[in-house]
Amino acid sequence: MGAEPHDVDYRLLDPFKRIAQKIASGTDTNIERLGLTVVRESRGESAFLIRGLDGRTPALLATVPETLGTKNLVADRMREVTGRSYYDQIAQDAVAMNVNDLLTVGALPVVVGPHVAAGSSEWFADEERAHDLATGWKHACDLSRCVYGPGESPALVDLVRPDSAVISGFGLGIVRVEAQRISSRRLRAGDAIVFLESSGIHANGLTDARRLADRLTNGYQTRLSNGVLFGEALLAPTHIYVSAVEACQDAEIDLHYVANITGHGWRKLMRAREPFRYVVHDPPKPSPLFEFLIENLGLSVIDAYGTFNMGAGFALFVDPQDADRVAAISSQQGLRAWVAGDVTAASERSVEVPALHIVFPESSLKLR
Amino acid sequence: MGAEPHDVDYRLLDPFKRIAQKIASGTDTNIERLGLTVVRESRGESAFLIRGLDGRTPALLATVPETLGTKNLVADRMREVTGRSYYDQIAQDAVAMNVNDLLTVGALPVVVGPHVAAGSSEWFADEERAHDLATGWKHACDLSRCVYGPGESPALVDLVRPDSAVISGFGLGIVRVEAQRISSRRLRAGDAIVFLESSGIHANGLTDARRLADRLTNGYQTRLSNGVLFGEALLAPTHIYVSAVEACQDAEIDLHYVANITGHGWRKLMRAREPFRYVVHDPPKPSPLFEFLIENLGLSVIDAYGTFNMGAGFALFVDPQDADRVAAISSQQGLRAWVAGDVTAASERSVEVPALHIVFPESSLKLR
């Protein structure tokens, strides 16, 4: 009855999020007449859960809206250089933002639909880009083992820049059985942290990267130490972690918690509200792209790991005796996975990377 | 296996819709492993349906993404005049766009979540507007008898104009029992058309209205014949038709078909693919707002009814013996409703309004 989620600190949020979350978490409309009920503690989490009243399967429905951000502005500029649209990759980024968030509550994606709001109707007339965008969306849904859902494609003249589009999506997922639902309540001191590799920058930190391109003499055409163009490296499509999580579920691994490492970089590892210290003993070696970003943005190590995923796109928290098996199962799905650290008891949250002298205190994360 | 929806004429669509619908309707990923299957004939309809495999309730899940369009640009300008933000009303428009579409397949809304993409992070710092937007979203969800769902609120610098936002939403609904699912297959010659009143322009035709304001000496401050400011009349929030439809379902009315009269105005009455003639004998009297738009945009009658809802926001198609009862039940929910016309057999589709000498031929509608 109007209760707030248990420990939201509204002071930490921007005004809109603070106000909206407070109002949204007021007394919910009664949906019991529809045989459904809200899982109130999922409010403010990465995906929002609805439960069927009578224990029938699917146990839980999960919904999420996610934006791509401004990564397609990089694609628009790189098209001028190489002639490719890259919107197939952009579509995968947008789908990934949705499905990887669904996974964090233990849901597998069912439907992901596109919302493409262009600044002009002419934008939709470019057949090559249209084909790339739709093909990429379909391919990403196939990788996510879900269905290409309904789309919306308005031209919003005077609101969006005429030569580009705001790309977002929404996802519907299900948690097949209650035991597969993931919430931080199952996270325990002693748990192992298994990292799954990222493909690159994914879809976070793009505004910084775009500003950097504006300052470089050769812009997106600057070559990284491995010879790849800066712009092309940025456009590597976000990895999709569905098959790894589903394979773990099918192997009856008890996933205690999962973190999608997006905005806030590695600070996201302490997303759970409980006080734990997360220690990463085996960070990945930064790729040429991250080395380039750090050097040219003049970032400190702590700023880099607090902003970018730095090579680790997703984290699974499991019982230490399951850790090697989780890494092996995930690797079988085609992504490098390794046991990277552990969770220890603490009086307040922190993320630590001893080899890099990094300590992120609890106060550095403002999420909910 | 890769079959296309039965009679989509891809030539009629803009390139992106044509390409995207063709690719989206390719072989679907197998979601039977999740106990679910796609209702393929719902592709291209106003909401997309997923069915549970074993006949359990809810029978069907419905999903939809919908954009508000550019109506909030009118609110931004009117705020300069009156000091009110109007974003409470804007939020209702965005929710209405989603829930009224869910109703067209017989689904009742469960969750509607906001996606608010501003052009700057400063946009979110305006507490009055933030409060209005969130309060309006909550109120509209209450009117829709559903839950205020998860939101996303990115700042998309360089993509959206800095002083405004792209507002959209996504909706999840359920069709409680298979018998309440609405598809055009149940529409019959002889059916009555029951109109539900609109509140005004709703969220369609706003680009025309904005262009008109630019040309008027007093812009949005021009007074209509009833003394209301043009801008305020435009901002009347879209009616929500959930309670009317739910009341009809609860009264065991067999709703043969439903049309949400949005883009394409009254041409939307022939949304069903089957060849019928839709004859409106009792059109509503145009409000001062519509009279003003027609006169100042220099519209012909046929262009006006082919663009705007002209006072009829929603149409229910029912057995003629149910028609008076449907109008009475809907009116009890606080909206004017009346038996306005009927459906007759024909060799191809048309919409006719004899009193206004209007005939819309099939070729005037390009939807799927």
Side-chain angles (χ1 to χ4, degrees):
Chain A
M1 290 297 289
E4 292 169 5
H6 46 97
D7 62 351
V8 175
D9 186 345
Y10 291 109
R11 292 165 306 175
L12 297 176
L13 296 168
D14 75 48
F16 177 72
K17 278 210 183 81
R18 172 171 49 79
I19 292 165
Q21 288 194 18
K22 212 160 185 170
I23 290 171
S25 61
T27 307
D28 285 314
T29 305
N30 179 4
I31 55 170
E32 294 194 7
R33 74 190 201 288
L34 306 176
L36 300 166
T37 185
V38 171
V39 179
R40 288 185 64 86
E41 62 268 32
S42 71
R43 240 187 225 295
E45 296 305 313
S46 298
F48 180 70
L49 291 167
I50 300 283
R51 178 182 280 120
L53 281 181
D54 57 2
R56 61 184 175 253
T57 56
L60 297 151
L61 299 170
T63 58
V64 65
E66 270 293 328
T67 189
L68 168 70
T70 59
K71 190 166 178 175
N72 55 317
L73 291 175
V74 180
D76 296 342
R77 295 285 300 278
M78 281 303 290
R79 191 182 192 183
E80 297 161 13
V81 175
T82 67
R84 284 195 51 203
S85 90
Y86 298 95
Y87 270 67
D88 49 344
Q89 298 175 201
I90 288 297
Q92 178 166 332
D93 288 308
V95 171
M97 295 295 280
N98 283 278
V99 299
N100 292 343
D101 263 3
L102 287 172
L103 297 174
T104 64
V105 294
L108 297 176
V110 174
V111 172
V112 182
H115 188 280
V116 182
S120 64
S121 55
E122 292 72 36
W123 194 88
F124 294 109
D126 182 323
E127 300 215 2
E128 183 191 351
R129 184 174 52 206
H131 185 269
D132 287 348
L133 180 49
T135 306
W137 200 278
K138 174 72 173 152
H139 176 66
C141 286
D142 288 346
L143 286 177
S144 306
R145 310 192 70 194
C146 72
V147 172
Y148 184 148
E152 171 79 340
S153 50
L156 302 183
V157 178
D158 303 328
L159 201 46
V160 176
R161 61 186 277 172
D163 62 346
S164 200
V166 171
I167 297 178
S168 59
F170 73 95
L172 168 69
I174 66 164
V175 183
R176 293 180 284 183
V177 291
E178 186 74 41
Q180 289 177 352
R181 177 181 162 209
I182 295 169
S183 82
S184 63
R185 292 180 185 180
R186 298 162 71 194
L187 192 61
R188 289 196 287 266
D191 280 353
I193 304 173
V194 177
F195 271 168
L196 277 62
E197 66 173 2
S198 70
S199 65
I201 196 171
H202 286 183
N204 288 96
L206 269 298
T207 299
D208 288 336
R210 290 190 297 111
R211 293 281 170 270
L212 172 56
D214 290 342
R215 292 203 312 264
L216 295 167
T217 311
N218 294 315
Y220 291 117
Q221 298 187 61
T222 309
R223 289 201 185 273
L224 307 182
S225 62
N226 60 352
V228 175
L229 297 181
F230 176 43
E232 290 223 305
L234 288 173
L235 289 168
T238 306
H239 277 333
I240 285 173
Y241 301 106
V242 174
S243 60
V245 169
E246 185 168 352
C248 288
Q249 287 181 344
D250 288 346
E252 299 190 359
I253 300 288
D254 185 4
L255 297 173
H256 291 180
Y257 197 59
V258 155
N260 184 21
I261 304 173
T262 55
H264 309 89
W266 286 27
R267 291 177 286 162
K268 266 281 172 66
L269 291 170
M270 56 176 162
R271 193 179 205 292
R273 294 181 169 106
E274 292 76 2
F276 288 115
R277 177 184 295 129
Y278 302 84
V279 186
V280 178
H281 302 294
D282 188 9
K285 183 178 162 3
S287 66
L289 173 63
F290 288 120
E291 286 175 341
F292 181 86
L293 286 166
I294 290 170
E295 187 183 325
N296 288 281
L297 285 167
L299 293 180
S300 64
V301 171
I302 197 146
D303 283 346
Y305 284 79
T307 305
F308 300 115
N309 68 59
M310 296 306 295
F314 208 73
L316 305 173
F317 301 77
V318 296
D319 191 285
Q321 68 184 21
D322 289 333
D324 288 331
R325 200 162 145 243
V326 164
I329 290 169
S330 300
S331 296
Q332 280 163 18
Q333 301 301 319
L335 299 168
R336 190 170 96 83
W338 70 102
V339 184
D342 52 40
V343 179
T344 63
S347 59
E348 64 173 34
R349 291 182 282 169
S350 67
V351 174
E352 303 181 14
V353 192
L356 300 169
H357 310 291
I358 288 173
V359 179
F360 290 114
E362 179 162 327
S363 60
S364 67
L365 188 68
K366 301 172 184 181
L367 277 181
R368 297 183 184 89
Chain B
M1 290 296 289
E4 292 168 6
H6 46 97
D7 63 350
V8 175
D9 186 343
Y10 292 110
R11 292 165 306 176
L12 297 178
L13 297 168
D14 75 48
F16 178 71
K17 279 212 183 79
R18 171 171 49 79
I19 292 165
Q21 288 196 18
K22 212 161 186 169
I23 290 171
S25 61
T27 307
D28 284 314
T29 305
N30 179 4
I31 54 170
E32 294 194 7
R33 75 190 201 287
L34 304 177
L36 300 167
T37 185
V38 171
V39 179
R40 288 186 62 87
E41 62 269 30
S42 72
R43 236 184 229 297
E45 296 305 314
S46 298
F48 179 70
L49 292 168
I50 300 284
R51 178 181 280 119
L53 281 181
D54 57 3
R56 61 182 174 256
T57 56
L60 297 150
L61 298 171
T63 58
V64 65
E66 270 293 329
T67 189
L68 168 71
T70 60
K71 190 167 178 175
N72 56 318
L73 290 175
V74 180
D76 296 342
R77 295 285 300 281
M78 281 302 291
R79 191 181 192 182
E80 298 162 12
V81 175
T82 67
R84 286 196 49 204
S85 90
Y86 299 94
Y87 271 67
D88 50 345
Q89 299 175 200
I90 288 297
Q92 178 166 331
D93 289 308
V95 171
M97 294 297 279
N98 282 277
V99 298
N100 291 343
D101 263 4
L102 286 172
L103 297 174
T104 65
V105 295
L108 297 177
V110 175
V111 172
V112 182
H115 187 280
V116 182
S120 64
S121 55
E122 292 72 35
W123 195 88
F124 294 110
D126 182 322
E127 300 215 3
E128 183 191 352
R129 185 173 51 206
H131 185 268
D132 287 347
L133 180 49
T135 305
W137 200 277
K138 174 72 174 153
H139 176 67
C141 286
D142 288 345
L143 287 177
S144 306
R145 311 192 69 193
C146 72
V147 173
Y148 185 148
E152 171 80 340
S153 51
L156 302 182
V157 179
D158 302 329
L159 200 46
V160 176
R161 61 186 278 171
D163 63 346
S164 201
V166 171
I167 297 179
S168 59
F170 74 94
L172 168 68
I174 67 163
V175 183
R176 292 179 284 183
V177 292
E178 186 75 40
Q180 289 177 352
R181 176 181 163 210
I182 295 169
S183 80
S184 63
R185 292 181 186 178
R186 298 162 70 194
L187 192 61
R188 288 195 288 268
D191 280 353
I193 303 173
V194 177
F195 271 166
L196 276 63
E197 65 172 3
S198 70
S199 65
I201 196 171
H202 285 184
N204 288 98
L206 268 297
T207 300
D208 288 337
R210 290 190 297 113
R211 293 281 170 273
L212 171 56
D214 290 342
R215 291 203 312 265
L216 294 168
T217 311
N218 294 316
Y220 291 118
Q221 298 187 62
T222 309
R223 289 202 185 272
L224 308 183
S225 62
N226 59 352
V228 176
L229 297 181
F230 176 42
E232 291 223 304
L234 288 173
L235 289 169
T238 306
H239 277 333
I240 285 173
Y241 300 106
V242 173
S243 60
V245 168
E246 185 167 352
C248 288
Q249 287 180 345
D250 288 347
E252 299 192 358
I253 300 287
D254 185 4
L255 297 173
H256 291 179
Y257 197 59
V258 156
N260 184 20
I261 304 174
T262 54
H264 309 89
W266 287 26
R267 291 178 285 162
K268 267 280 172 65
L269 292 170
M270 58 176 160
R271 193 179 205 293
R273 293 181 170 106
E274 293 75 3
F276 288 115
R277 177 183 296 129
Y278 302 84
V279 186
V280 178
H281 301 296
D282 189 8
K285 182 176 162 6
S287 67
L289 173 64
F290 288 120
E291 286 175 341
F292 181 86
L293 286 165
I294 290 171
E295 185 183 328
N296 289 281
L297 285 167
L299 292 180
S300 64
V301 170
I302 196 145
D303 283 345
Y305 284 79
T307 305
F308 299 115
N309 68 60
M310 296 306 294
F314 208 72
L316 305 172
F317 301 78
V318 295
D319 191 286
Q321 69 184 21
D322 289 333
D324 287 331
R325 202 161 145 242
V326 165
I329 290 169
S330 300
S331 296
Q332 280 163 18
Q333 301 301 319
L335 299 169
R336 191 171 96 82
W338 69 102
V339 183
D342 52 40
V343 179
T344 62
S347 59
E348 63 174 33
R349 289 183 283 169
S350 66
V351 174
E352 303 181 13
V353 192
L356 300 170
H357 310 291
I358 288 174
V359 178
F360 290 113
E362 178 161 329
S363 60
S364 66
L365 189 68
K366 302 174 183 179
L367 279 182
R368 298 183 183 88

